[in-house]
Amino acid sequence: MKNLFYKFYHKTLFGNLIRFLYHLTKDRIWPDKLVVKVDYKRRLGKSLNLSHPVTLNEKINWLKLNNRNPIYTICADKLEVRNYISSKIGEEYLVPLIFSTKDPSEIKLERLPDIPVVVKTNHDSGGVFIIRDKNDIDYTKLQESLQRRLKINYYLKSKEWQYKNIEPKIVVEKLLMDSSGNIPEDYKLHCFNGKLVFTQVDLERHKNHKRNLYDIEWKRIPCRWIYENGDDIPKPLNYAKMKDLAEKIASDFTYVRVDFYIVSGSIFFGELTFNSESGYGKFIPDSYDLYFGKLLNIDMTSKKG
């Protein structure tokens, strides 16, 4: 039966028409819950259990559909989150801000400093432009790209509610670099119910993306999460400090991923993510989806199904 459905959905003209109409209309017409269920089935090949979620991906999707606290909107906003982080752990952990604006035409040669910067939008996933030399940029093309990004409501695509009401802006920050001039690795600390459970390290993201997961003792977790594993990464010298900072930030949330960079021994905050991989991240072996899910306690009292 499964093979027959696959052939109908992917190999027939009518099936292709259904898929086309779904993707054309899902952003604005289909209910969030239905879109999430369909996308989960399409991405992971199994049905999403929202009545009794047990795996990590199921619980992330349940949280995606049920968390409606305004603090999530503030903390998903890459500009507004700076005030939240400053109040929780201190402004010394923030990447230096150059300026912010709503107008793409403000991103021009005379407004940028004589240092490498990153230009990004505050309201979506992606939308990052790295400028190492401000004299070597096509500003018309960059402004046009930013204008297109500002018109995107990422919630319509992802159904991640926290992005729905963010006012789109452009943020210009200093570009963090290591002693070799490379962008430093970022450490993504996944916190469940205010406590660190595992750390994600992504490698060679712009070449041959690989990913390792480490437990709280910095032992490699023997699984893959979407990407193949890479070479082992030594535990950061200030790992204990990162863990402490992440748990202070995570104390307000059921589940959150806290990203940090380390540059010359100093820790810098990256961003907060509340629905990692949008709840569609495949684990190999699949048992780790259940393993991590059992460690996350979500509030079931207001569950609607």
Side-chain angles (χ1 to χ4, degrees), residues 96-157:
L97 176 67
I98 309 301
F99 69 92
S100 65
T101 180
K102 299 178 185 178
D103 184 359
S105 68
E106 288 293 301
I107 308 302
K108 53 189 177 181
L109 178 68
E110 53 268 33
R111 290 247 21 212
L112 298 181
D114 296 323
I115 60 171
V117 298
V118 57
V119 179
K120 60 186 180 182
T121 45
N122 69 319
H123 68 297
D124 63 352
S125 179
V128 177
F129 304 87
I130 293 174
I131 300 178
R132 293 182 179 271
D133 184 348
K134 70 176 186 178
N135 296 298
D136 190 27
I137 297 295
D138 183 337
Y139 286 97
T140 298
K141 184 176 180 180
L142 175 59
Q143 290 168 5
E144 290 174 350
S145 295
L146 289 168
Q147 186 64 59
R148 288 193 296 270
R149 302 288 317 186
L150 291 176
K151 294 179 180 178
I152 294 172
N153 188 318
Y154 188 66
Y155 155 75
L156 295 177
K157 174 183 178 181

Side-chain angles (χ1 to χ4, degrees), residues 17-224:
L17 178 61
I18 292 175
R19 284 194 296 131
F20 172 76
L21 291 174
Y22 168 72
H23 289 291
L24 184 67
T25 61
K26 74 169 188 174
D27 288 355
R28 299 182 182 276
I29 296 177
W30 294 57
D32 290 4
K33 184 176 178 180
L34 181 57
V35 171
V36 167
K37 283 190 169 186
V38 170
D39 286 351
Y40 186 92
K41 177 72 172 181
R42 179 175 59 87
R43 298 279 293 273
L44 294 181
K46 54 186 177 182
S47 298
L48 172 61
N49 185 344
L50 291 174
S51 298
H52 299 285
V54 293
T55 68
L56 179 59
N57 279 308
E58 286 177 338
K59 290 184 177 182
I60 286 175
N61 276 289
W62 187 90
L63 291 168
K64 182 197 302 184
L65 294 170
N66 289 278
N67 273 341
R68 295 295 184 266
N69 190 317
I71 192 174
Y72 286 85
T73 296
I74 293 170
C75 290
D77 184 324
K78 295 180 179 64
L79 183 61
E80 292 299 322
V81 71
R82 294 174 62 89
N83 293 326
Y84 172 81
I85 293 299
S86 180
S87 68
K88 293 292 287 189
I89 61 174
E91 64 180 11
E92 64 267 28
Y93 297 103
L94 298 175
V95 177
L97 176 67
I98 309 301
F99 69 92
S100 65
T101 180
K102 299 178 185 178
D103 184 359
S105 68
E106 288 293 301
I107 308 302
K108 53 189 177 181
L109 178 68
E110 53 268 33
R111 290 247 21 212
L112 298 181
D114 296 323
I115 60 171
V117 298
V118 57
V119 179
K120 60 186 180 182
T121 45
N122 69 319
H123 68 297
D124 63 352
S125 179
V128 177
F129 304 87
I130 293 174
I131 300 178
R132 293 182 179 271
D133 184 348
K134 70 176 186 178
N135 296 298
D136 190 27
I137 297 295
D138 183 337
Y139 286 97
T140 298
K141 184 176 180 180
L142 175 59
Q143 290 168 5
E144 290 174 350
S145 295
L146 289 168
Q147 186 64 59
R148 288 193 296 270
R149 302 288 317 186
L150 291 176
K151 294 179 180 178
I152 294 172
N153 188 318
Y154 188 66
Y155 155 75
L156 295 177
K157 174 183 178 181
S158 68
K159 302 306 178 185
E160 297 178 38
W161 176 85
Q162 62 269 24
Y163 293 103
K164 183 176 184 179
N165 299 311
I166 297 176
E167 181 182 9
K169 295 179 183 177
I170 301 165
V171 181
V172 182
E173 295 177 335
K174 177 182 177 180
L175 177 65
L176 298 179
M177 296 184 294
D178 62 21
S179 58
S180 300
N182 298 317
I183 297 173
E185 300 292 350
D186 57 339
Y187 300 88
K188 304 176 185 296
L189 285 69
H190 294 252
C191 297
F192 298 7
N193 310 112
K195 297 297 180 182
L196 176 64
V197 173
F198 69 91
T199 300
Q200 165 191 337
V201 183
D202 289 294
L203 310 166
E204 302 179 67
R205 283 170 295 177
H206 305 293
K207 300 176 184 177
N208 183 23
H209 196 156
K210 291 182 169 56
R211 174 177 293 171
N212 295 342
L213 303 184
Y214 295 90
D215 68 14
I216 58 174
E217 302 299 330
W218 205 260
K219 294 179 180 178
R220 175 86 75 88
I221 299 173
C223 73
R224 304 201 308 266

